[in-house]
Amino acid sequence: YGSYEELAADPAGDLVYIATPPSHHAENMELCLNHGKPVLSEKAFTANAAQAERVLKLAQEKRLLAAEAIWTRYMPIRAMVDEAIASGEIGTPHFLTANLGYDLQHVARLRQPELAGGALLDLGVYVLNFAAMVFGTDIEHIDGNAVKLDTGVDFQESITLRYKDGRAAVLAASATVQLSSRASSSRTEAPTVMPMLVPVSPSGTGNTFRSLM
């Protein structure tokens, strides 16, 4: 194709996978949706909430799929976690921690605000999604603290989520250093280390993953 417009207009395509930088996801998805194409976007879905709401509204109007390719949501291990919680075999989790970090200072894209770079949209999405998978999205309050580069993008952050039912999650993401890349939940009985699929090879250097128990 000579342009994204030509790709979106091709009647032979059934669905378009968006793999451009996050800064362009909303624009690219809207182009495809307006040409009648369902879209599956690489994470992060968009660069901000306003863009996400706009894309989802358009998809709803067109009656087309618009989804984020956060693949950890669709792995069998997700069902294992859901079943363990629902069955009560690990008790009732009240507190959750998760972290993910790699030294990605060499990845030029992540340092550029014009490409929506930074740790939150590249790594933080994994720990936030893990918290949502375990505790849901009925969040009462969010606290966040970030360390930024001289370019203005975040390269490390801590995030605390307080839920309306009294549960809490403490999350961390770093594109500066290697973290333990583990998730755990604490209950009245004893803490439980929960499986969270994370990349073994950092972003931009491979696509190998493992499950940390």
Side-chain angles (χ1 to χ4, degrees):
Y1 301 101
S3 68
Y4 290 156
E5 181 82 27
E6 289 180 19
L7 182 152
D10 187 350
D14 296 320
L15 179 145
V16 179
Y17 173 64
I18 308 295
T20 50
S23 53
H24 292 66
H25 288 179
E27 174 187 344
N28 297 157
M29 284 192 282
E30 288 170 335
L31 172 66
C32 295
L33 290 168
N34 280 320
H35 278 81
K37 295 291 194 300
V39 290
L40 180 65
S41 175
E42 183 54 72
K43 55 84 184 167
F45 187 66
T46 58
N48 55 55
Q51 290 179 355
E53 290 170 359
R54 192 175 71 230
V55 169
L56 293 174
K57 180 180 179 182
L58 178 61
Q60 187 175 35
E61 291 171 353
K62 299 288 186 180
R63 300 182 66 83
L64 293 169
L65 172 73
E68 183 181 40
I70 188 84
W71 56 272
T72 50
R73 282 186 168 271
Y74 306 102
M75 299 295 286
I77 204 165
R78 163 73 192 278
M80 292 168 54
V81 172
D82 288 347
E83 290 168 5
I85 294 173
S87 69
E89 64 181 88
I90 62 170
T92 302
H94 295 281
F95 189 84
L96 178 149
T97 63
N99 71 74
L100 184 61
Y102 299 99
D103 181 359
L104 301 178
Q105 298 177 74
H106 60 286
V107 181
R109 171 183 64 81
L110 295 182
R111 304 176 67 88
Q112 300 177 35
E114 61 270 24
L115 295 180
L120 178 63
L121 296 182
D122 201 70
L123 299 171
V125 291
Y126 286 110
V127 291
L128 284 165
N129 268 276
F130 187 79
M133 284 187 267
V134 177
F135 279 176
T137 58
D138 197 14
I139 298 168
E140 183 176 59
H141 185 75
I142 301 174
D143 282 316
N145 190 21
V147 178
K148 296 182 179 181
L149 299 180
D150 54 8
T151 61
V153 303
D154 61 292
F155 241 50
Q156 296 195 107
E157 55 252 325
S158 61
I159 305 165
T160 302
L161 309 177
R162 187 175 73 233
Y163 296 80
K164 292 180 181 178
D165 61 4
R167 293 184 295 181
V170 176
L171 315 172
S174 176
T176 304
V177 295
Q178 176 84 37
L179 299 180
S180 66
S181 301
R182 287 189 177 274
S184 66
S185 70
S186 296
R187 52 203 174 99
T188 53
E189 296 86 349
T192 301
V193 177
M194 306 184 74
M196 180 175 70
L197 283 165
V198 298
V200 171
S201 301
S203 176
T205 62
N207 292 305
T208 305
F209 297 84
R210 64 178 171 175
S211 171
L212 291 175
M213 301 293 289

